[in-house]
Amino acid sequence: MPSRRISYDLAESPLAPGEVAIVGAGPGDPGLLTLRALSLLEQADCLVFDRLVSKEVLALANPKARRFYVGKASRCHALTQDETNALLVRLAEEGKRVVRLKGGDPYIFGRGGEEAEELIGHGIHFRVVPGITSAQGCAAYGGFPLTHRDHAQSVTFVTGHCKGDGDLALDWTSLAVPHHTAVFYMGLANAELISRQLQNHGLPADHPVALVERGTTPEQRQVITCLGELVETIAREGLKPPTLIVVGEVVRLADTLAQPAPEEPTFAEGETLELVPERIAL
């Protein structure tokens, strides 16, 4: 079968036996994966991955790699974080080349820092590869920027739930300001609290909100609403995790800046696209 060959050149040493790469897989679209992440996926002996890593990204990994699912959802964990940490340590100590694959970016609400600390504590060498986080991907694919000189001079990424299902104690005063974008990750369960607190601290009920479900994937769904109707909208639309909540004036730009759906790649019959690493060495 013919293929188009695109070469890429990475000045990076190969993944060593007993080393762990903590890799951001991006928000779902495999086209948003970095070449560095792709290179490491191709080298992995073991792949440890989360619930939000898309099947299209997983398909790019070394087909011979052993796969370990450690996905987490609210009150439903395949493995606890401590068990995941122990798994990474065990595989590395067995001399495996390990890729820890995380949806979005591993250092933005991805617990990558906790896992890196565990690896350091056991003397295990690791590297971190950033990924496009959900906020960036969902905003771009949803047709609105996160910042804009006329509408938002700052942006804040906020966790929508707390460790151990504790109270969501945030600095609401700093979030409820005009000309600012607040992006809530994992916030559906606390949508009523988010809506109430932002309004109690000064934002009007008609302040715009975007809800982006499964952003950047073929299943992406976006609903534009406002703070006063946030809870009702989530219930009416039946939105499920992963759904990002974006609060801010920039959301109003979605109607004018939205891009048409991308066209299918144009290939001759039977033709495929093949990425060819020319060099992966110092």
Side-chain angles (χ1 to χ4, degrees), residues 26-51:
D29 183 345
L32 299 180
L33 197 70
T34 66
L35 290 179
R36 188 179 178 208
L38 177 61
S39 167
L40 292 166
L41 281 173
E42 293 170 341
Q43 300 173 57
D45 297 319
C46 296
L47 188 65
V48 181
F49 63 97
D50 281 347
R51 178 176 63 95

Side-chain angles (χ1 to χ4, degrees), residues 17-281:
E19 184 180 10
V20 177
I22 302 174
V23 176
D29 183 345
L32 299 180
L33 197 70
T34 66
L35 290 179
R36 188 179 178 208
L38 177 61
S39 167
L40 292 166
L41 281 173
E42 293 170 341
Q43 300 173 57
D45 297 319
C46 296
L47 188 65
V48 181
F49 63 97
D50 281 347
R51 178 176 63 95
L52 297 181
V53 177
S54 70
K55 64 181 184 297
E56 292 82 5
V57 169
L58 289 173
L60 299 172
N62 177 4
K64 296 180 180 179
R66 292 178 62 194
R67 300 186 177 210
F68 299 85
Y69 174 68
V70 296
K72 296 177 179 64
S74 180
R75 300 180 180 86
C76 182
H77 295 179
L79 292 182
T80 66
Q81 188 60 53
D82 287 343
E83 289 170 335
T84 299
N85 293 347
L87 174 63
L88 294 175
V89 170
R90 176 174 65 81
L91 294 175
E93 290 180 342
E94 290 175 358
K96 305 300 184 183
R97 299 174 178 86
V98 183
V99 168
R100 173 65 170 110
L101 195 60
K102 294 175 171 289
D105 181 278
Y107 277 4
I108 299 181
F109 303 127
R111 302 189 182 181
E114 299 173 42
E115 293 171 1
E117 289 176 318
E118 186 75 12
L119 295 172
I120 289 174
H122 287 80
I124 294 170
H125 184 65
F126 70 95
R127 63 185 81 177
V128 179
V129 180
I132 292 176
T133 190
S134 299
Q136 297 167 299
C138 289
Y141 281 50
F144 56 88
L146 292 176
T147 63
H148 188 289
R149 288 195 299 173
D150 296 331
H151 304 286
Q153 288 78 53
S154 58
V155 59
T156 304
F157 296 167
V158 190
T159 178
H161 82 285
C162 293
K163 186 175 182 180
D165 296 322
D167 293 335
L168 189 61
L170 301 173
D171 184 357
W172 297 104
T173 300
S174 68
L175 294 174
V177 293
H179 306 296
H180 176 78
T181 306
V183 183
F184 291 87
Y185 287 67
M186 305 162 288
L188 283 187
N190 280 315
E192 191 279 331
L193 175 65
I194 291 169
S195 172
R196 172 166 43 85
Q197 289 283 25
L198 290 177
Q199 290 182 77
N200 287 346
H201 286 80
L203 290 182
D206 64 355
H207 199 66
V209 180
L211 296 156
V212 187
E213 181 184 74
R214 303 195 67 82
T216 81
T217 74
E219 294 79 31
Q220 175 173 316
R221 186 160 58 121
Q222 177 168 297
V223 181
I224 305 299
T225 184
C226 62
L227 277 178
E229 299 177 7
L230 178 59
V231 176
E232 176 187 342
T233 300
I234 292 170
R236 182 183 67 246
E237 299 292 335
L239 294 165
K240 304 294 182 185
T243 296
L244 209 66
I245 301 174
V246 184
V247 181
E249 291 98 332
V250 292
V251 167
R252 293 195 176 101
L253 297 173
D255 288 339
T256 57
L257 299 184
Q259 299 293 301
E263 296 181 1
E264 292 295 323
T266 303
F267 296 109
E269 183 176 355
E271 185 181 27
T272 61
L273 181 66
E274 179 183 359
L275 292 174
V276 183
E278 292 291 339
R279 176 172 63 88
I280 306 174

